Amino acid sequence: MAYEKSLIIIKPDGIQRSVTGEILTRFERAGLKIHAMRFQKVSVEMARKHYSDHVNKSFFPTVEKYITSGPVIVFVVGGLNCVKKVRTLVGATEPCSALPGTIRGDYAHQPYAAPGEPDDKPIRNLIHASGTVGEAEQEIAIWFRPDEVVEYSRLGDEIFAF
Ligand code: GDP
Ligand code: MG
């Protein structure tokens, strides 16, 4: 097991629905350590950089409109096998498939075009989380300068020293 970091974005619907505290609490209670955090609006340029793997997909215009529609909270958390842990806490991409107990399962509910229908609506799934360790490294470098990602000890870290 390795110490990893993951990039998370509480998307505009999370801010609008006032569930940011509850979402942050999920990660804190799971034991993940916060390394960086910013409240900001997302420019079209940043949206395209962040979703570079998706820019040519048919649904990308909906994703771009969604992520740039209002402020977001972008943050970095860390822990052993953090990328997998975070994806487990976040749940499946489509809210209708996200299990209860996951963030998307418990809080994401917006309607969207069903599979096979034209992609005219975004999947409003509340939160972004890096999919792989490589994606996490790439995304952290897009959103934060190295000096904005803070290393520190937390009360209780010493109990994991053996
Ligand atoms: P994630 O890693 O679980 O967020 O999912 P992906 O990396 O596959 O997709 C990135 C984001 O693009 C998702 O969170 C959705 O907001 C959006 N998205 C993905 N697939 C679709 C799709 O088929 N249709 C639409 N409208 N949006 C999609
Ligand atoms: Mg993804």
Side-chain angles (χ1 to χ4, degrees):
M1 291 219 280
Y3 193 92
E4 299 166 355
K5 293 188 177 97
S6 184
L7 184 108
I8 302 173
I9 304 175
I10 302 178
K11 295 180 181 181
D13 45 338
I15 312 290
Q16 294 297 328
R17 293 177 50 216
S18 304
V19 290
T20 58
E22 296 195 31
I23 292 173
L24 286 169
T25 299
R26 301 270 176 130
F27 295 107
E28 286 192 312
R29 291 218 177 127
L32 295 162
K33 184 189 279 191
I34 296 169
H35 286 281
M37 188 172 294
R38 188 185 304 121
F39 180 83
Q40 66 168 91
K41 263 201 92 170
V42 181
S43 65
V44 167
E45 187 192 355
M46 279 301 272
R48 290 182 185 174
K49 258 195 216 172
H50 174 77
Y51 283 121
S52 58
D53 286 349
H54 295 303
V55 281
N56 295 319
K57 295 190 180 158
S58 60
F59 59 80
F60 186 72
T62 73
V63 173
E64 184 178 289
K65 195 169 173 189
Y66 171 35
I67 201 73
T68 60
S69 66
V72 300
I73 294 177
V74 192
F75 60 106
V76 175
V77 295
L80 292 183
N81 285 11
C82 168
V83 171
K84 186 175 177 191
K85 178 69 178 176
V86 167
R87 289 295 295 206
T88 305
L89 292 169
V90 163
T93 302
E94 297 197 5
C96 64
S97 305
L99 294 175
T102 65
I103 293 166
R104 286 169 171 167
D106 288 350
Y107 297 107
H109 69 95
Q110 301 284 344
Y112 54 87
E117 289 179 15
D119 275 316
D120 59 351
K121 291 193 186 76
I123 296 180
R124 288 189 177 84
N125 53 11
L126 210 59
I127 186 161
H128 165 84
S130 307
T132 62
V133 174
E135 217 175 88
E137 285 169 1
Q138 216 177 312
E139 291 173 357
I140 292 167
I142 289 171
W143 290 95
F144 293 100
R145 297 191 313 266
D147 65 298
E148 292 176 318
V149 181
V150 181
E151 303 297 338
Y152 61 102
S153 295
R154 263 189 326 189
L155 229 53
D157 275 358
E158 67 280 2
I159 66 170
F160 298 105
F162 61 89

